[in-house]
Amino acid sequence: MRRKLLFAERMLHGNGELPFNAVIPIKIKGTFPEENLHHALRKLQEKHLLLNAAVADDEDGMPWFVVAEGESAPIPVRITERSGAGDWKKESMQEWSGVFNTRKGPLMRVVWIKGAEVSEMILVLHHCLCDGGSAMAILAELLLLIDDGTVNIGKEDPILSMHDIIPAEILKSRKKIIKAKLIGGVATFALWLVPLKKRLIERKKDYMLHWKLEKELSDRLMLRCKSEKLTVNTVLCAAVLQAFQEVRKAAFHNKISCPVDIRRFAPQIKRDNIFAFGLMFVVSADQQLDFLGNARKMQEDIDRKTAKLDAYETIMMMEASHSSLANFTDFLKYGKSSNDCMFSNLGKIDIVHQYKTFELETIFSPSVIGPLGNTTTLVTSTYRGQMDFTFVASEGFIPYEEALEIQHKLMEIINKL
């Protein structure tokens, strides 16, 4: 199997020498044999061809996912003894900087923090391989297989090209093709014109803050959002922006980027497809309004932007822009950051919690740190009725003490709703 990397996947892969890892930790109560895990991972590789892939360049220097004929290298597992409840944080931060050998593969590994009765397990995937939706699908299948190695998880029909994502009538539309090339050309020219000082901002020490809302508070927040006819995502966006504003003051940009699951707009991409492309919109606050007034106006803005999102057109435009990749990457790495953070809400995670031999106590919200500019990221998810937050950043962008203040301010805002 060979598949050329799409524009976004190339950007996330870079030259393969720098880490860009999605880290997904979970907590399990109960025990199972080590062989169950290895068997489950082999079964995952049988279903998902890309879990066997390495990245190889063709004669033109374009990278491809390549799965060799015959037996592939197994997904590696590192087992460490559990000494305390905070081990998963330390191991997660260690995994941020662990570089995958993308030229050899596979692009996934597992860390098992093994305890007598309680364990944490961390799935680590190169971000060029998959997004949050793919990662959750892999996690759900992995847990089923650990519990029962005979369960049938099917076989993925992998995405091999744009033709597997974009309907033929759109992909062949002369109007769409011209528009994509025009926008791609303009973007390439604009990036070429942008003057950049090739000096990286010193990232300094990376760190993580993690916390959960009590179930009662999670329920209260969701009910309040429903009563105000606002989505939880919008209210959280408003709360995040207010927290950044009150703490960062003059350094506040009033801008957060929000990834959107592309599967909502491109039904050809199935829930269990391994895929890394995401859509994005930017949200800002109206600082002249009170909290709920701002949230309502923000909801209108988000609804309008979401309605305009065109997954097919975006992919076609980006695929027409491969020649601008180096300039775009430089812009992200060296350009002055104008975002406060990236805010990603995975929403409710529908993964079974009770298995025959163990219980999935919690799924910690994933974390990711890459080499492309501002690392400040807030990810939230809801599992078993509790909202969970992971705040990742670097001292060079936001001092740790300010991040703590932002966390406290965010909780204060949520508690007042």
Side-chain angles (χ1 to χ4, degrees):
M1 172 192 165
R2 284 169 59 86
R3 173 165 85 72
K4 190 179 289 186
L5 271 68
L6 301 177
F7 181 95
E9 294 165 340
R10 284 186 65 199
M11 181 184 70
L12 295 169
H13 177 260
N15 60 11
E17 295 176 2
L18 296 173
F20 206 148
N21 304 336
V23 175
I24 304 99
I26 62 173
K27 184 177 182 180
I28 292 172
K29 278 186 178 179
T31 58
F32 51 83
E34 182 181 334
E35 175 51 33
N36 284 27
L37 174 58
H38 291 290
H39 175 77
L41 292 171
R42 287 195 295 271
K43 286 289 187 179
L44 281 178
Q45 287 182 291
E46 287 175 15
K47 172 176 178 175
H48 302 284
L49 285 179
L50 283 173
L51 290 182
N52 304 280
V55 178
D57 292 342
D58 62 19
E59 59 275 10
D60 298 318
M62 290 291 289
W64 293 64
F65 289 123
V66 177
V67 178
E69 295 285 339
E71 192 169 329
S72 300
I75 293 170
V77 176
R78 177 169 65 87
I79 300 176
T80 181
E81 185 178 350
R82 189 178 194 268
S83 60
D87 290 357
W88 72 269
K89 294 181 187 177
K90 181 187 72 175
E91 294 291 346
S92 292
M93 289 188 282
Q94 180 177 323
E95 288 300 323
W96 292 341
S97 58
V99 180
F100 280 98
N101 183 346
T102 63
R103 303 302 177 175
K104 184 178 179 182
L107 305 182
M108 175 179 171
R109 57 179 179 259
V110 174
V111 180
W112 186 3
I113 307 167
K114 194 173 182 182
E117 297 178 0
V118 175
S119 294
E120 282 83 19
M121 195 171 289
I122 303 173
L123 278 62
V124 187
L125 298 115
H126 198 296
H127 203 0
C128 76
L129 189 71
C130 73
D131 61 2
S134 301
M136 290 302 118
I138 290 169
L139 173 60
E141 293 169 350
L142 177 65
L143 292 166
L144 287 172
L145 287 163
I146 290 173
D147 192 50
D148 179 1
T150 65
V151 70
N152 181 10
I153 60 170
K155 187 87 171 175
E156 181 193 359
D157 187 9
I159 292 168
L160 299 178
S161 71
M162 283 200 299
H163 296 81
D164 296 324
I165 304 168
I166 303 174
E169 64 272 18
I170 294 176
L171 199 56
K172 294 176 181 177
S173 165
R174 181 173 173 80
K175 182 180 176 182
K176 295 283 187 182
I177 292 170
I178 291 171
K179 185 177 180 181
K181 287 182 177 179
L182 181 61
I183 295 174
V186 170
T188 300
F189 183 66
L191 287 168
W192 179 75
L193 288 177
V194 173
L196 294 173
K197 294 179 180 179
K198 291 293 187 73
R199 188 177 66 214
L200 283 172
I201 293 173
E202 189 182 353
R203 197 160 109 181
K204 301 180 183 176
K205 185 178 180 181
D206 301 325
Y207 59 84
M208 173 200 292
L209 300 177
H210 172 265
W211 70 99
K212 283 183 178 290
L213 301 190
E214 294 296 330
K215 190 174 187 306
E216 181 184 358
L217 180 55
S218 299
D219 290 343
R220 180 156 59 86
L221 173 60
M222 292 178 197
L223 285 171
R224 183 63 193 278
C225 293
K226 188 175 181 181
S227 70
E228 296 291 343
K229 295 182 172 57
L230 297 166
T231 66
V232 173
N233 188 71
T234 297
V235 170
L236 288 175
C237 283
V240 169
L241 281 166
Q242 184 175 323
F244 269 85
Q245 179 190 8
E246 294 189 25
V247 174
R248 299 282 283 162
K249 297 182 173 63
F252 176 58
H253 298 293
N254 193 18
K255 192 182 293 183
I256 54 175
S257 302
C258 298
V260 182
D261 187 355
I262 194 172
R263 292 162 185 79
R264 289 171 53 189
F265 305 90
Q268 294 82 357
I269 306 171
K270 305 305 180 188
R271 183 177 179 275
D272 63 348
N273 275 140
I274 291 183
F275 194 63
F277 186 94
L279 301 173
M280 190 88 66
F281 59 75
V282 174
V283 178
S284 298
D286 186 331
Q287 299 173 60
Q288 306 304 313
L289 300 174
D290 63 12
F291 183 84
L292 285 174
N294 171 56
R296 291 187 188 99
K297 186 172 181 181
M298 193 178 289
Q299 184 72 66
E300 293 174 4
D301 182 49
I302 289 173
D303 290 345
R304 187 167 54 252
K305 287 176 176 175
T306 302
K308 287 183 178 179
L309 285 176
D310 188 324
Y312 306 134
E313 197 171 271
T314 303
I315 293 173
M316 289 176 70
M317 181 271 290
M318 295 183 79
E319 289 309 291
S321 306
H322 276 271
S323 61
S324 71
L325 181 66
N327 287 336
F328 184 62
T329 301
D330 283 348
F331 177 76
L332 293 175
K333 287 171 66 174
Y334 301 107
K336 187 177 180 181
S337 175
S338 61
N339 267 21
D340 293 290
C341 75
M342 179 176 288
F343 173 65
S344 178
N345 180 11
L346 296 180
K348 183 182 177 183
I349 300 175
D350 292 313
I351 292 181
V352 177
H353 74 271
Q354 193 61 60
Y355 299 82
K356 296 174 191 172
T357 56
F358 61 87
E359 175 190 346
L360 179 58
E361 184 176 296
T362 194
I363 300 171
F364 302 106
S365 293
S367 62
V368 60
I369 280 192
L372 302 178
N374 192 346
T375 59
T376 311
T377 305
L378 178 61
V379 182
T380 186
S381 59
T382 302
Y383 185 65
R384 299 181 70 174
Q386 276 191 279
M387 294 194 73
D388 181 280
F389 294 84
T390 298
F391 187 169
V392 168
S394 308
E395 287 272 3
F397 293 102
I398 295 185
Y400 180 74
E401 292 302 321
E402 284 193 18
L404 284 175
E405 288 182 50
I406 291 168
Q407 176 195 358
H408 295 152
K409 182 58 66 175
L410 180 58
M411 285 302 299
E412 184 181 297
I413 295 165
I414 290 171
N415 272 293
K416 285 180 179 178
L417 288 171

